[in-house]
Amino acid sequence: DTVVCLPGMADETLFEFLHMEIVSHVYKEQQSSRGTMDNKVCSVVNHVSFYIFRLTRDSPSFKDELDIMKFICKDFWTKVFRRQVDNLRTNHQGTYVLQDNKFALLTQLSSGKQYLDQAPKYLAFSCGVVRGALSNLGLESVVTAEVSVMPSCKFQVVIQKL
Amino acid sequence: MSRQSNRATDSKKMNSELFTLTYGALVTQLCKDYENDEEVNKQLDKMGYNIGVRLIEDFLARSSIGRCQDFRETADVIAKVAFKMYLGITPSVTNWSPAGDEFSLILENNPLVDFVELPDNHSALIYSNLLCGVLRGALEMVQMAVDVKFAQDTLRGDSVTEIRMKFIKRIEENLPAGDDQHIYIASVGLNAS
């Protein structure tokens, strides 16, 4: 098991624990009514969007919306969540479902049904990241996520027509 | 092992930019949540502690490091194995006290502060204080009570970042005082298979 970490790389476990602490902190704050979860997550994501911008800036030009979604499922998902989306479905009318069977930010939580009720908190950040990426690529969207058995989850992306 | 590119050859590695920016977002959020820098520093230390008590298990499982014989060995393991594994940097270990119970970690570059500048109204903020909590929490789980603080910080104009670590005492093997609301299982010995 290699312990080598190249410069410019950080360890995913450290990120996952940091992410869990952020979620835990935001929820504690929410209980003492210092602000809603949505606001907090947006703020976190705004800062992360700089990174997302850099990620998407050099991407090739896309011929249509589906092309962009495929990019999200492959290149983007690999860069941010370290693997590709397993399954993409669409109704060809602006709604997409992205299924990741081993979602990176859920693997530390459980495999199965334990803590299922906690899962949505842990997905809020990722939904924001996906929405931020799409926004940088010119698509406004609403992104939600659902989990039935961890660490598998489905992200639903609904592109907003302006 | 050749190092032609920065792409992850190990699936447990990720681009540190996402980590750095997420950390920056956290600190920014804490500054909004709390009125003063001291409180933010305390929160970062507490969150770091919560991470450290879990991270040590991951570290021991992946590094197959056995029990350290003394504090000098602990210092070397922290600098050459742990920092390298989790942040891709190798701080140097210097400034040992004559009693051998205190030393400094000098970080030439600190990945947490990439892209970061401290505004003037946050002069008391210890931006990377999470690291102190992580070290303290991790060592507590291997029966060492330590005091960890930043002695120098490039964000505040120093030429290097220096973390000072002091050994306080050995902890007896029972459940250490945990953080409120935090429940965890103490490590059972160091020889994780």
Side-chain angles (χ1 to χ4, degrees):
Chain A
D1 197 86
T2 177
V3 301
V4 168
C5 188
L6 303 175
M9 308 300 287
D11 191 273
E12 70 172 33
T13 311
L14 186 56
F15 179 77
E16 280 159 28
F17 284 141
L18 176 66
H19 174 253
M20 282 162 81
E21 272 309 304
I22 290 174
V23 171
S24 163
H25 171 78
V26 170
Y27 272 93
K28 261 198 325 235
E29 288 301 306
Q30 187 184 29
Q31 269 150 36
S32 67
S33 61
R34 280 182 195 256
T36 68
M37 176 63 171
D38 285 340
N39 289 345
K40 295 292 167 63
V41 171
C42 276
S43 156
V44 170
V45 167
N46 282 342
H47 288 83
V48 178
S49 69
F50 170 66
Y51 169 78
I52 296 169
F53 171 70
R54 278 182 55 148
L55 213 51
T56 54
R57 185 186 52 191
D58 299 326
S59 52
S61 50
F62 302 104
K63 54 185 204 288
D64 56 21
E65 192 178 275
L66 183 59
D67 222 24
I68 294 178
M69 291 310 299
K70 284 181 182 172
F71 169 81
I72 294 286
C73 291
K74 299 202 309 216
D75 296 66
F76 178 80
W77 218 259
T78 302
K79 276 231 167 94
V80 180
F81 302 122
R82 295 180 300 285
R83 61 199 301 275
Q84 294 190 6
V85 162
D86 292 298
N87 191 294
L88 171 68
R89 288 186 314 210
T90 178
N91 62 358
H92 294 288
Q93 283 170 5
T95 297
Y96 300 84
V97 177
L98 291 66
Q99 180 161 342
D100 184 329
N101 291 326
K102 208 176 157 198
F103 189 59
L105 294 178
L106 288 179
T107 51
Q108 293 287 346
L109 220 54
S110 91
S111 49
K113 302 234 176 214
Q114 195 182 22
Y115 302 125
L116 199 56
D117 58 329
Q118 305 291 311
K121 293 185 211 170
Y122 291 89
L123 295 170
F125 174 81
S126 302
C127 289
V129 165
V130 173
R131 203 180 72 204
L134 285 169
S135 179
N136 274 293
L137 291 169
L139 293 178
E140 292 309 312
S141 61
V142 174
V143 183
T144 52
E146 65 170 52
V147 183
S148 50
V149 178
M150 289 201 257
S152 168
C153 74
K154 287 186 192 164
F155 288 83
Q156 178 171 278
V157 176
V158 179
I159 306 294
Q160 306 294 293
K161 303 293 180 209
L162 296 164
Chain B
M1 178 174 285
S2 64
R3 292 182 176 193
Q4 306 108 305
S5 71
N6 275 335
R7 296 191 98 227
T9 49
D10 178 337
S11 62
K12 291 201 81 62
K13 297 302 171 253
M14 63 184 293
N15 190 299
S16 60
E17 282 182 359
L18 182 58
F19 179 81
T20 298
L21 286 158
T22 303
Y23 183 73
L26 167 66
V27 177
T28 305
Q29 189 58 52
L30 290 177
C31 289
K32 288 201 189 109
D33 288 341
Y34 297 101
E35 273 92 55
N36 62 76
D37 290 346
E38 276 312 312
E39 207 31 63
V40 175
N41 294 341
K42 253 174 49 184
Q43 282 303 313
L44 284 173
D45 181 78
K46 194 166 159 196
M47 293 175 80
Y49 177 88
N50 291 344
I51 291 173
V53 298
R54 295 187 188 113
L55 200 65
I56 183 72
E57 305 234 3
D58 179 75
F59 174 71
L60 291 173
R62 287 163 60 194
S63 66
S64 27
I65 298 279
R67 186 181 285 277
C68 289
Q69 296 302 318
D70 56 27
F71 203 47
R72 278 184 186 266
E73 205 183 322
T74 304
D76 278 345
V77 167
I78 291 171
K80 297 183 181 137
V81 189
F83 266 90
K84 189 126 177 61
M85 185 189 292
Y86 291 110
L87 289 174
I89 57 172
T90 310
S92 45
V93 177
T94 61
N95 288 353
W96 278 99
S97 63
D101 63 346
E102 207 173 332
F103 67 92
S104 292
L105 289 166
I106 308 285
L107 284 66
E108 298 280 321
N109 81 302
N110 175 1
L112 291 182
V113 310
D114 288 343
F115 318 124
V116 175
E117 262 178 31
L118 278 190
D120 294 329
N121 58 333
H122 285 289
S123 52
L125 179 67
I126 307 172
Y127 183 86
S128 307
N129 211 33
L130 191 99
L131 292 182
C132 295
V134 172
L135 289 165
R136 188 169 62 84
L139 287 176
E140 190 174 302
M141 296 305 284
V142 289
Q143 277 71 54
M144 275 183 265
V146 293
D147 185 59
V148 190
K149 49 161 100 33
F150 275 88
Q152 293 190 75
D153 191 349
T154 50
L155 276 189
R156 287 153 86 172
D158 299 312
S159 52
V160 291
T161 295
E162 179 185 352
I163 298 176
R164 192 91 187 128
M165 292 192 63
K166 184 181 166 77
F167 178 81
I168 308 289
K169 62 174 184 180
R170 188 133 224 113
I171 303 173
E172 295 310 313
E173 292 218 22
N174 47 20
L175 283 179
D179 256 291
D180 49 283
Q181 302 155 17
H182 189 81
I183 300 168
Y184 54 85
I185 299 171
S187 283
V188 182
L190 291 174
N191 299 318
S193 54

